[in-house]
Amino acid sequence: MKEIVKIIIGLTISCLFAGVVLGGVYVITAKAKKHNQYLDVQQTMTKLLGYDKVVPPDLRFNHIHRYIIENGDCTCLGYMLPVKREGDEGCALLVIDLQGRLAGRYKIDIQPEKALNEQDRKQALEKALDGEIVTYADTAVIATLGGRRTAYLLAGKFPGFKGFIHVMPALDSGFRILGLEILEHSEDPGLGGEIEQVYFKNQFKGRDLDHLKYLKVIKQPLSKEYKIYLEAKKPEEIYSNADLAEIEKKYQNSDIHALTGATISSRAVTRGIKNIVKKFIYRIRILDRVISENKIPATF
Amino acid sequence: MRRSFKISFLLIVMMICVLSGKCRAGDRFIRNSAFKGDRQIIVTFAGPVSDVWANDISNFTVNEKPDPDIMLEIEDSTLSLDKTSLVFTFKDPLNREVPHCLTLKQIIADGRSQGTATVTLRKNYLAHLFSVFLGAVLIQNFVFVKYLGLCVFLGVSQKKSTAVGMGITFTIVIVFASMLSWFLYRFVLKPYHLDFLQVIVFIGLVSLTVQGIDTVLRKVNPALFKSFGVYLVLVISSCIILAVPLMLAANDYDMFESLMLSLGAGVGFLLALFLMASVRERLELANVPTPFRGMPIAFIITGLFALSFMGFSGMSLF
Amino acid sequence: MSSSSRTNRELFINGILNENPIFRLALSMCPAVGISTTVMNGILLGIAVLFVQVFSSCTISLIRNHIHPRIRIPTYTLTIATWVTVIDLVLAAFFPTAYKSLGIFVRLIVVFCFITCRLDVFAARNRLFPSCIDALGMGCGFLLGMVVVGGVRELLGMGTLLGYNILGFRPMFFFALPAAGFFTIGFMTAAFNHMETVYNRKKSTSRGSAASGAGL
């Protein structure tokens, strides 16, 4: 009996000690992790827009958070976006029904910067709407340069060959693909892991929606000329204007060349990008119409 | 031994019953709905429907379940000659990986309305579960494709009998441990944002399961314990036992998927052990160069197995 | 005490050569096969393991007189799991890229047998300083093993070392494939074994000749 008590006390003390250590480390690292992640995402976004070192001061990222709102048996979409208020900025939630009409408009009491934090955002939302079930869906970013839209940055994930692949495609204001970044993946190094290579990602550049819809993956190897063009950091410095135009014309309609030994990963990325971009364009058109029809003072 | 087989068989039958009940169509009048090819959906009705109703595309809406706002464009709907099955053709190829919602407004059959029906189309759930299982056994075999659990794998694959004993013990432990950790993760760790405690909680649960099975087996069936008890301790030192709960947590699997994945991981490990043991038994008769005897040749054989298992990659079943 | 008979230097070398976890004990091979495609990955995981081993050894050595013998193993597991979680959190917060490339293996350090083994065999019976040295030796042995395997695979598979282009071409792309880890380790262990036999034979023949000389 005495031994059991001894054992229990021993184990309890060690567990308590472990708990204290872990809790302390978590408190210290959680903040740093959030901050580093924020910086990382910010850097990826500016890089995708083509700003390597110098970032123009009037570049601004407007985050639009999409929610699915269920109220009884009717389902609506909620878009939380930054809006202008007198001398200040706040957030608004636009509820749009499935037919694309504005069904409600709420003022959310939160700063756009603070709304980046999922927990804070959720709290503010719950305060504004009561009783409705709100599920977070995704976040898209509209980049503006001095008030004019320059690009859309989307985020999404889809299953690859081994695990989920997280990507961030960028579209320009005319919905052409501006660039693609692979944020996270667990494909095999040397095979599927090559989706990180510049020459693969750049194959998506310049495609628009009509073209993207029917984009296929083919197993032919990349021609040398095309690969050099794709890998060039600044193609306009290597090629003369005429050459550049010729190459772009030659390859603008080509399909995506699969990576050697990683056809499944290549297909997964192509299909995933296709889906993300297609859905985003569909939604942003509705949202834009609603914003202009109802004269909502959005910041973008 | 026989009784336990009976019980497990009964459990499996019950599970199949529950699951097959789950994937029936939602409405009484609609008998079946399924994907057909890349851009078609076929719906079968219990009786003949009106062809005027069926040919009016505005009666139907289709959307992917996670995106209720995006209606897919239907190009054409054609009714079969006996008027009981309807085929929808879509403008763009469908993404069959996600479940689709199909709404049929005011179905008209025999001259009267049958009401509005909503059906959810998904890949057959049972088939999906089976593909998760087979995926864990062959395509993503934990030993040969994911390179986990090698210490135990190399340690106990000397003889077929030990390999089978270890494999069975391992399967039982991993199924129990992963289900426990799935419950704890889903209902405690995740709601309270304690994700960072995953490792410590899961390893504790694994030890608990092993200790529990040890105690129960010792009391209930001493003969079985005598033959399998030795392996129980070894189970803890295999990475797979921790990797499976971590994967379940990372991928948000539901209960049956988790069950299938852990079962698949166990069976895959058993398969790997058995294959390796068969080769190593033969190898004892072979003339292996001295420096390669023991571990090195075992590694090279594992490498050959791994290469051959690469052939399963990309295999998709359903 | 076993440590009294051995100097600190011997303790340190023991982990690297005589009881190298990868090449001699063949324990904890999973990461050695799974992610040793580049030297960098090897170094990162090696450092993580080194930290876990040193911290756990020190902890166990400090509390060794208070551990009840019946809950020995659970205490070890708890200690290792705590330190692994700490490393996991720190890596995720401050070195996100490294954390991403190591994937699930950081968390799997918990079940690496040689760490528990070292706690039981050494740290639970020795004072703080020797335990620390022993853990350092073991950790460095693992680090070295990972770096060597990673180096061979990266050089032969991609023609680079630490990301720098050395050869300018890919001699055998096969080695970058995941399955090649088994072959690399198999051949390297065989090479170690061969060297050992040759070394022993030389020693025994020289001793044998000395003995026969004495006999004459």
Side-chain angles (χ1 to χ4, degrees):
Chain A
M1 200 59 205
K2 211 180 149 198
E3 205 161 303
I4 287 187
V5 174
K6 242 184 182 171
I7 290 176
I8 292 175
I9 292 177
L11 266 181
T12 317
I13 291 178
S14 6
C15 282
L16 272 180
F17 186 69
V20 169
V21 171
L22 284 184
V25 173
Y26 178 70
V27 169
I28 298 169
T29 54
K31 222 173 173 181
K33 186 180 174 184
K34 217 167 252 171
H35 181 68
N36 280 342
Q37 260 171 359
Y38 172 76
L39 284 185
D40 199 34
V41 171
Q42 212 75 4
Q43 203 187 358
T44 321
M45 292 198 295
T46 43
K47 227 177 171 178
L48 263 176
L49 297 184
Y51 305 112
D52 247 352
K53 288 185 191 90
V54 218
V55 180
D58 51 354
L59 181 73
R60 188 201 145 126
F61 295 120
N62 306 279
H63 294 256
I64 299 178
H65 312 284
R66 187 168 67 88
Y67 284 86
I68 293 175
I69 300 174
E70 278 167 277
N71 185 6
D73 47 34
C74 104
T75 315
C76 290
L77 292 186
Y79 292 96
M80 187 165 165
L81 35 94
V83 289
K84 287 182 210 122
R85 298 216 181 100
E86 311 80 55
D88 195 21
E89 275 178 7
C91 281
L93 181 79
L94 302 184
V95 180
I96 297 178
D97 67 7
L98 296 186
Q99 279 71 45
R101 289 178 303 242
L102 187 68
R105 187 174 162 183
Y106 300 88
K107 194 175 147 189
I108 311 287
D109 217 12
I110 191 168
Q111 288 283 317
E113 288 84 41
K114 248 196 127 189
L116 287 179
N117 187 340
E118 204 180 324
Q119 235 130 357
D120 290 347
R121 199 164 65 213
K122 200 163 184 200
Q123 264 173 18
L125 261 182
E126 273 164 5
K127 227 164 90 187
L129 328 144
D130 36 12
E132 280 155 304
I133 304 166
V134 191
T135 345
Y136 171 68
D138 57 16
T139 297
V141 179
I142 299 181
T144 52
L145 200 60
R148 281 173 55 104
R149 284 189 203 186
T150 56
Y152 304 95
L153 295 149
L154 327 176
K157 65 169 185 179
F158 44 82
F161 178 50
K162 285 223 153 154
F164 279 103
I165 301 176
H166 295 246
V167 293
M168 182 187 274
L171 308 179
D172 66 8
S173 48
F175 299 127
R176 271 168 181 281
I177 294 188
L178 202 63
L180 168 70
E181 194 52 62
I182 309 278
L183 301 177
E184 224 175 281
H185 71 88
S186 45
E187 308 298 286
D188 289 323
L191 296 169
E194 303 283 292
I195 52 171
E196 281 182 355
Q197 296 286 344
V198 186
Y199 69 83
F200 179 72
K201 291 189 293 193
N202 277 356
Q203 287 185 50
F204 289 93
K205 253 187 186 172
R207 319 245 175 196
D208 56 11
L209 181 63
D210 293 330
H211 189 189
L212 206 61
K213 263 187 197 165
Y214 300 102
L215 197 60
K216 279 201 287 289
V217 175
I218 48 171
K219 284 198 186 183
Q220 278 159 16
L222 275 170
S223 69
K224 211 165 188 181
E225 180 191 38
Y226 191 31
K227 191 169 173 183
I228 291 171
Y229 164 71
L230 287 171
E231 277 182 335
K233 254 189 189 148
K234 286 197 176 117
E236 57 271 17
E237 279 173 15
I238 305 174
Y239 300 99
S240 67
N241 281 343
D243 282 352
L244 198 64
E246 195 185 325
I247 289 181
E248 271 171 8
K249 200 178 163 200
K250 191 169 165 192
Y251 291 107
Q252 70 179 349
N253 285 322
S254 71
D255 285 314
I256 301 290
H257 294 264
L259 294 161
T260 327
T263 317
I264 302 173
S265 304
S266 319
R267 271 203 199 121
V269 173
T270 312
R271 197 187 303 146
I273 298 289
K274 217 190 268 189
N275 270 329
I276 294 170
V277 171
K278 214 162 71 182
K279 284 174 186 165
F280 173 75
I281 294 177
Y282 184 93
R283 287 188 178 122
I284 194 76
R285 282 189 176 142
I286 292 178
L287 185 67
D288 274 341
R289 205 195 62 226
V290 169
I291 288 178
S292 66
E293 272 173 12
N294 295 285
K295 301 207 172 54
I296 286 153
T299 53
F300 45 84
Chain B
M1 196 72 179
R2 186 164 289 169
R3 197 168 37 165
S4 62
F5 274 130
K6 261 186 197 164
I7 293 174
S8 54
F9 180 73
L10 265 178
L11 270 178
I12 290 171
V13 170
M14 262 164 62
M15 210 182 81
I16 290 175
C17 292
V18 170
L19 288 176
S20 50
K22 202 176 166 179
C23 33
R24 277 277 161 79
D27 192 81
R28 266 187 309 146
F29 194 68
I30 292 167
R31 194 168 277 164
N32 202 2
S33 55
F35 291 110
K36 188 185 164 196
D38 220 12
R39 44 208 289 180
Q40 283 187 326
I41 286 180
I42 180 162
V43 182
T44 329
F45 301 99
V49 291
S50 141
D51 47 356
V52 179
W53 172 80
N55 286 331
D56 185 2
I57 300 174
S58 63
N59 283 327
F60 315 104
T61 54
V62 182
N63 63 280
E64 288 176 11
K65 202 159 188 201
D67 307 295
D69 56 326
I70 300 182
M71 299 300 161
L72 303 176
E73 276 180 82
I74 303 174
E75 203 172 57
D76 178 40
S77 64
T78 33
L79 198 60
S80 68
L81 284 175
D82 59 350
K83 296 189 178 180
T84 53
S85 66
L86 188 58
V87 178
F88 299 108
T89 311
F90 292 87
K91 224 172 161 189
D92 302 324
L94 301 168
N95 179 10
R96 285 188 290 171
E97 299 299 315
V98 267
H100 284 60
C101 280
L102 167 64
T103 313
L104 304 121
K105 279 180 217 147
Q106 299 295 335
I107 304 172
I108 296 173
D110 303 335
R112 59 196 171 89
S113 169
Q114 301 279 349
T116 300
T118 306
V119 280
T120 310
L121 274 102
R122 62 177 85 228
K123 286 208 281 188
N124 192 339
Y125 192 59
L126 266 182
H128 168 67
L129 285 185
F130 187 65
S131 70
V132 168
F133 172 74
L134 218 59
V137 176
L138 293 177
I139 306 166
Q140 299 281 333
N141 186 295
F142 275 78
V143 177
F144 293 136
V145 183
K146 294 206 163 170
Y147 321 110
L148 296 173
L150 294 177
C151 316
V152 180
F153 171 73
L154 291 169
V156 290
S157 57
Q158 306 275 10
K159 271 162 60 188
K160 271 190 226 165
S161 54
T162 48
V164 172
M166 179 68 204
I168 293 175
T169 320
F170 187 83
T171 311
I172 295 170
V173 175
I174 202 169
V175 168
F176 273 104
S178 339
M179 289 323 283
L180 270 180
S181 14
W182 181 80
F183 272 108
L184 210 69
Y185 178 74
R186 189 68 178 269
F187 297 111
V188 180
L189 292 189
K190 212 176 158 200
Y192 296 103
H193 300 288
L194 291 172
D195 290 29
F196 71 99
L197 289 179
Q198 269 177 19
V199 175
I200 209 162
V201 169
F202 290 165
I203 195 80
L205 275 179
V206 170
S207 325
L208 203 71
T209 324
V210 169
Q211 198 60 53
I213 292 178
D214 188 286
T215 318
V216 171
L217 211 61
R218 205 188 287 257
K219 289 266 157 61
V220 175
N221 197 337
L224 201 64
F225 178 76
K226 223 173 198 176
S227 48
F228 288 124
V230 215
Y231 308 118
L232 272 173
V233 191
L234 266 177
V235 168
I236 311 185
S237 55
S238 161
C239 321
I240 306 179
I241 203 98
L242 190 66
V244 170
L246 286 175
M247 273 176 56
L248 293 179
N251 288 336
D252 267 334
Y253 280 130
D254 71 14
M255 197 176 80
F256 289 110
E257 281 174 332
S258 315
L259 182 67
M260 280 302 159
L261 186 82
S262 50
L263 197 65
V267 174
F269 192 60
L270 172 64
L271 178 78
L273 277 175
F274 185 75
L275 286 175
M276 191 66 183
S278 313
V279 175
R280 278 175 99 169
E281 275 186 4
R282 287 285 180 97
L283 212 62
E284 289 194 347
L285 305 173
N287 185 12
V288 180
T290 332
F292 279 94
R293 285 202 184 136
M295 274 305 150
I297 194 74
F299 267 109
I300 289 168
I301 293 167
T302 320
L304 290 174
F305 270 124
L307 277 184
S308 56
F309 265 68
M310 271 174 83
F312 286 119
S313 74
M315 191 170 85
S316 74
L317 289 166
F318 297 103
Chain C
M1 293 244 169
S2 56
S3 68
S4 56
S5 59
R6 288 198 267 173
T7 62
N8 291 334
R9 200 167 141 236
E10 274 169 359
L11 269 179
F12 185 69
I13 298 292
N14 174 51
I16 295 181
L17 291 179
N18 298 353
E19 296 190 21
N20 187 301
I22 289 187
F23 295 120
R24 302 310 304 267
L25 303 182
L27 288 175
S28 316
M29 310 299 308
C30 317
V33 177
I35 53 162
S36 63
T37 41
T38 60
V39 181
M40 206 55 212
N41 280 352
I43 293 177
L44 288 172
L45 194 77
I47 290 173
V49 168
L50 182 70
F51 269 104
V52 173
Q53 174 82 71
V54 169
F55 283 126
S56 327
S57 274
C58 291
T59 319
I60 291 296
S61 171
L62 277 176
I63 59 166
R64 68 181 186 281
N65 295 328
H66 308 287
I67 301 175
H68 195 283
R70 294 193 65 172
I71 51 160
R72 208 173 77 237
I73 301 292
T75 318
Y76 298 157
T77 315
L78 184 71
T79 317
I80 299 173
T82 312
W83 285 116
V84 167
T85 314
V86 168
I87 298 284
D88 185 67
L89 287 173
V90 169
L91 274 181
F94 299 107
F95 309 96
T97 30
Y99 185 69
K100 260 185 239 165
S101 65
L102 292 182
I104 198 172
F105 281 105
V106 180
R107 290 161 173 201
L108 289 185
I109 296 178
V110 181
V111 278
F112 283 11
C113 332
F114 74 91
I115 299 185
T116 325
C117 199
R118 232 40 223 166
L119 294 187
D120 197 28
V121 172
F122 203 90
R125 290 171 200 169
N126 288 289
R127 276 185 292 127
L128 180 62
F129 189 65
S131 308
C132 190
I133 297 290
D134 176 68
L136 266 176
M138 250 3 221
C140 287
F142 182 79
L143 177 67
L144 195 76
M146 287 293 285
V147 168
V148 170
V149 177
V152 169
R153 288 182 71 181
E154 192 177 343
L155 193 66
L156 290 181
M158 311 293 265
T160 58
L161 267 184
L162 275 170
Y164 294 106
N165 205 335
I166 304 273
L167 297 177
F169 65 102
R170 295 175 167 188
M172 292 157 116
F173 181 66
F174 168 72
F175 276 95
L177 295 183
F182 289 113
F183 292 96
T184 317
I185 294 172
F187 281 111
M188 288 179 88
T189 334
F192 266 86
N193 283 349
H194 184 67
M195 281 196 281
E196 195 187 5
T197 25
V198 168
Y199 178 73
N200 282 348
R201 200 184 294 148
K202 223 180 237 170
K203 221 158 109 184
S204 69
T205 47
S206 66
R207 201 190 296 146
S209 62
S212 58
L216 280 168

